[in-house]
Amino acid sequence: GGDFSQKIDYVFKVVLIGDSAVGKSQLLARFSRNQFSLDSKATIGVEFQTKTLVIDNKTVKAQIWDTAGQERYRAVTSAYYRGAVGAMLVYDMTKRQSFDNMARWLEELRGHADKNIIVMLIGNKCDLGNLRAVPTEDAQEFAQRESLFFMETSALESTNVETAFLTILTEIY
Ligand code: GTP
Ligand code: MG
């Protein structure tokens, strides 16, 4: 075999947060392995996946951390946020409560993460447009007020998943 060793120029830690069942783990599965599962189990503790990409001729290793939305399954908060340079704040666009809780997730993030962290608001499950409970404008307004990037995605249909991760990684870079 040849020499497959790859020089990594940067390692970027990105964290996923948001209520249980909004699709954090499936967004990560889609991005890192191009997989999706409808009977995904709730995350317990912390998991992570890495994906290596080339941005501007530099090799960037994205280390994406995923934790439980459910309080009782969550790991130590400060360790989760430590060293993160990007965050995805995920809600389910068919569940208003998951959007209303974004302010609390953002507060926790701002309390623990570096102040220069790049944050993207993600309205997931846009394949379920007929069940939409969060108008795009509401999310845009919140994102603008809080200086967040914003995108609507579907892990199921692969809509905007790659774009969302690439946008955040490019902004970090
Ligand atoms: P916790 O680990 O408990 O915090 O939940 P989570 O945010 O990781 O949610 P998960 O990725 O496990 O997905 C929850 C459910 O939503 C699963 O049944 C997924 O298949 C489903 N789901 C995730 N993304 C999408 C999507 O884009 N569209 C649809 N229709 N379902 C999705
Ligand atoms: Mg999960």
Side-chain angles (χ1 to χ4, degrees), residues 21 23 25-26 29-30 35-42 124-125 127-128 154-157:
S25 297
Q26 291 309 309
R30 178 61 81 194
Q35 286 174 1
F36 178 84
S37 154
L38 263 177
D39 60 355
S40 160
K41 302 244 178 347
N124 190 41
K125 308 199 186 181
D127 55 284
L128 302 174
S154 167
L156 187 152
E157 292 183 341

Side-chain angles (χ1 to χ4, degrees), residues 49-116:
Q49 298 280 343
T50 61
K51 181 163 172 157
T52 302
L53 325 103
V54 176
I55 300 174
D56 264 5
N57 289 316
K58 299 287 186 197
T59 307
V60 172
K61 185 175 190 169
Q63 192 179 80
I64 320 283
W65 292 49
D66 176 26
T67 191
Q70 293 179 66
E71 191 70 49
R72 64 194 159 129
Y73 293 145
R74 295 195 67 205
V76 183
T77 305
S78 52
Y80 188 67
Y81 291 108
R82 190 170 305 131
V85 289
M88 286 186 162
L89 228 56
V90 187
Y91 66 92
D92 173 347
M93 68 160 63
T94 72
K95 298 258 157 45
R96 181 73 203 192
Q97 189 62 52
S98 72
F99 175 71
D100 292 340
N101 286 341
M102 288 286 90
R104 288 161 63 187
W105 285 106
L106 188 58
E107 195 180 328
E108 179 181 287
L109 175 73
R110 296 225 160 109
H112 290 87
D114 186 274
K115 67 172 177 8
N116 295 317

